[in-house]
């Protein structure tokens, strides 16, 4: 899920060290530039054995730097000029040798020299370093590499990955570079304010499915997109996030722990023991209010029947109200998906379930869509999100809502 030009105006230095994963870096450049970033590529001599500077120049739209003695710079100091004004340095792929150079502060090629020369101390003008390891599984597991990784993290770098899977050498294990889409998501997350750092957030998303027989059931049109966006935004804000998802076919946001459920009772069973261990509970899921009282063992057949079958309904547990009534409850945020009288219904839900915040939206107008318009309702009043009453993509709204929640729980955290 993307919200368009997420990196508009950002200047990123992308470093490539030697490794077959360089082929993924071409797609990463495309994703970064498509999101509005200006990408300046720096390649080591080894990287040029796997992909050409011509390719990276064509994709980035900028000349590629490969030599610390590059005379194109008026002062012949590419390692200085590249990082001044840059928003981040991303090394993808970062080989074992590259990580060792970073750990030991070596500066004998342009990429390591550039990393050493970047502004890293004061917050103002600081240029973060993001490192995406890529190497054979044995190289990754070697104690020397693990020591070097621990050192670069201690020095302030952010290590992205690695992934586990098939490797170019034919072996299988840890050491694969993250896929370009995953790296892109991590880079975007690195730029988000960490308003929920140290917090734990529990989110429910999607519909529930209440079985009538082995093949039929009661459900609704919720796509889960808003809840998944909130989970991603909370993780971007520094929180440890658990996502309890109904039956939806959406990819799990990076870094989020996912628990799949089907029915309302299963969702309650997943949420209730976890809720006291979290600081925030966001009940985005569209939970079915009713379920059949009994489940038919076999598919209900229509052959020879003149009348449609009937069945009794019983009320499902109220997950939000149950969590809100816990003695050690988290900060609870409810969602109200309505078809009419949004404010009245949202305020009634706020009071009935005794929660501090309810977020309303017109469900039929937004189910399945990538955009939405929200109404924030609390005891003091209400206001639209976005503020101008228009619509926005769900990830943008999720980030705004996460900032809203963070501001509300801050006094309780002090």
């Amino acid at each position: 899920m993307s919200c368009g030009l997420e990196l508009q105006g950002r200047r990123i230095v992308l470093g490539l060290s030697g490794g077959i994963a360089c082929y993924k870096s071409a797609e990463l450049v495309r994703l970064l530039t498509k999101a509005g970033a200006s990408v300046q590529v720096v390649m080591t001599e080894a990287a040029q054995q796997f992909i050409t500077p011509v390719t990276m120049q064509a994709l980035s739209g900028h000349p590629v730097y490969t030599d610390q003695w590059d005379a194109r710079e008026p002062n012949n100091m590419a390692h200085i000029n590249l990082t001044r004004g840059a928003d981040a340095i991303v090394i993808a792929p970062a080989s074992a040798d590259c990580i060792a150079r970073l750990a030991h502060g070596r500066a004998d090629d342009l990429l390591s020299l550039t990393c050493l020369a970047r502004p890293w101390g004061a917050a103002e003008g600081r240029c973060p370093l993001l490192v995406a390891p890529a190497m054979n599984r044995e190289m990754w597991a070697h104690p020397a590499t693990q020591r070097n990784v621990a050192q670069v993290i201690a020095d302030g770098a952010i290590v992205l990955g690695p992934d586990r899977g098939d490797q170019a050498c034919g072996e299988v294990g840890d050491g694969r570079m993250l896929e370009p889409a995953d790296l892109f998501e991590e880079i975007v997350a690195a730029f988000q304010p960490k308003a929920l750092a140290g917090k734990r957030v529990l989110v429910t998303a999607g519909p529930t499915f209440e079985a009538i027989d082995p093949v039929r059931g009661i459900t609704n049109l919720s796509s889960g997109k808003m809840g998944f966006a909130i989970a991603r935004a909370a993780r971007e804000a520094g929180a440890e996030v658990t996502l309890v998802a109904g039956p939806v076919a959406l990819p799990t946001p990076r870094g989020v722990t996912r628990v799949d459920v089907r029915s309302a009772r299963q969702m309650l069973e997943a949420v209730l023991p976890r809720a006291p261990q979290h600081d925030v509970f966001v009940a985005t899921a569209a939970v079915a209010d009713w379920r059949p009282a009994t489940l038919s063992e076999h598919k209900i057949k229509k052959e020879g029947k003149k009348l449609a079958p009937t069945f009794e309904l019983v009320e499902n547990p109220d997950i939000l109200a149950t969590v809100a009534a816990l003695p050690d409850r988290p900060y609870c945020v409810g969602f109200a998906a309505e078809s009419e009288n949004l404010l009245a219904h949202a305020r009634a839900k706020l009071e009935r379930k005794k929660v501090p915040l309810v977020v309303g939206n017109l469900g039929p107008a937004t189910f399945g869509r990538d955009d939405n318009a929200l109404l924030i309702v609390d005891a003091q009043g209400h206001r639209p999100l976005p503020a101008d009453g228009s619509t926005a993509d769900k990830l943008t709204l999720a980030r705004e809502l996460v900032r809203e929640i963070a501001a509300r729980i801050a006094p309780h955290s002090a």
Side-chain angles (χ1 to χ4, degrees), residues 305-310:
K305 295 181 180 179
K306 295 182 179 180
L307 297 176
T310 60

Side-chain angles (χ1 to χ4, degrees), residues 60-263:
S60 68
H62 298 288
V64 174
Y65 284 83
T66 61
D67 185 359
Q68 61 180 309
W69 308 113
D70 195 318
R72 287 175 296 178
E73 294 295 312
N75 60 0
N76 213 25
M77 296 183 184
H79 62 292
I80 300 294
N81 302 339
L82 286 170
T83 63
R84 301 308 186 258
D87 293 293
I89 298 177
V90 180
I91 305 181
S95 65
D97 176 67
C98 176
I99 293 173
R101 290 169 185 265
L102 296 175
H104 293 277
R106 293 179 59 183
D108 51 357
D109 65 14
L110 179 59
L111 181 55
S112 60
L113 183 59
T114 300
C115 292
L116 196 63
R118 81 187 199 283
W120 61 272
E124 185 176 353
R126 183 173 177 271
C127 181
L129 175 62
L130 286 68
V131 178
M135 65 196 73
N136 170 264
R137 65 185 181 90
E138 297 289 0
M139 297 170 68
W140 171 252
H142 196 283
T145 300
Q146 292 303 304
R147 284 197 304 271
N148 291 334
V149 170
Q151 185 61 56
V152 298
I153 292 174
D155 289 343
I158 300 171
V159 175
L160 310 177
D163 209 344
R164 178 179 178 83
D166 296 335
Q167 300 189 326
C169 59
E171 298 180 349
V172 179
D174 294 328
R176 280 176 58 95
M177 189 172 86
L178 296 180
E179 295 303 312
D182 293 331
L183 278 176
F184 173 78
E185 189 172 325
E186 292 281 8
I187 293 167
V188 171
F191 288 118
Q192 302 302 316
K194 306 307 175 192
L196 289 177
K199 301 298 182 183
R200 303 186 72 194
V201 176
L202 180 63
V203 182
T204 62
T208 62
F209 182 90
E210 312 302 327
I212 297 171
D213 62 23
V215 297
R216 302 182 181 92
I218 300 170
T219 188
N220 58 66
L221 295 175
S222 174
S223 66
K225 290 181 178 180
M226 192 71 236
F228 274 61
I230 291 170
R232 174 178 169 177
R235 189 257 175 173
E236 289 178 342
E240 179 183 337
V241 182
T242 299
L243 172 63
V244 179
V248 296
L250 294 174
T252 307
R254 282 209 43 89
V256 169
T257 300
R258 177 172 177 171
V259 179
D260 286 313
V261 299
R262 186 173 174 87
S263 68

Side-chain angles (χ1 to χ4, degrees), residues 9 17 32 36 56 59 104-105 113 116 150 196 199 231 267 277 280 301 303 323 342 345 401:
S17 62
L32 293 171
M56 303 309 288
L59 292 169
H104 293 277
L113 183 59
L116 196 63
L196 289 177
K199 301 298 182 183
M267 186 170 283
Q277 304 164 18
V280 179
K301 307 292 287 185
E303 286 85 347
V323 173
L342 179 58
H345 287 307
L401 180 59

Side-chain angles (χ1 to χ4, degrees), residues 12 16 44 60 88 94 155 157 193 218 227 239 276 283 295 305 318 322 345 347 352 354 390-391 400:
I12 296 175
L16 279 66
T44 66
S60 68
D155 289 343
I218 300 170
L295 171 65
K305 295 181 180 179
D318 189 322
T322 301
H345 287 307
R347 184 159 297 285
R352 183 174 67 254
K354 297 180 173 59
S390 62
T391 62
E400 291 191 37

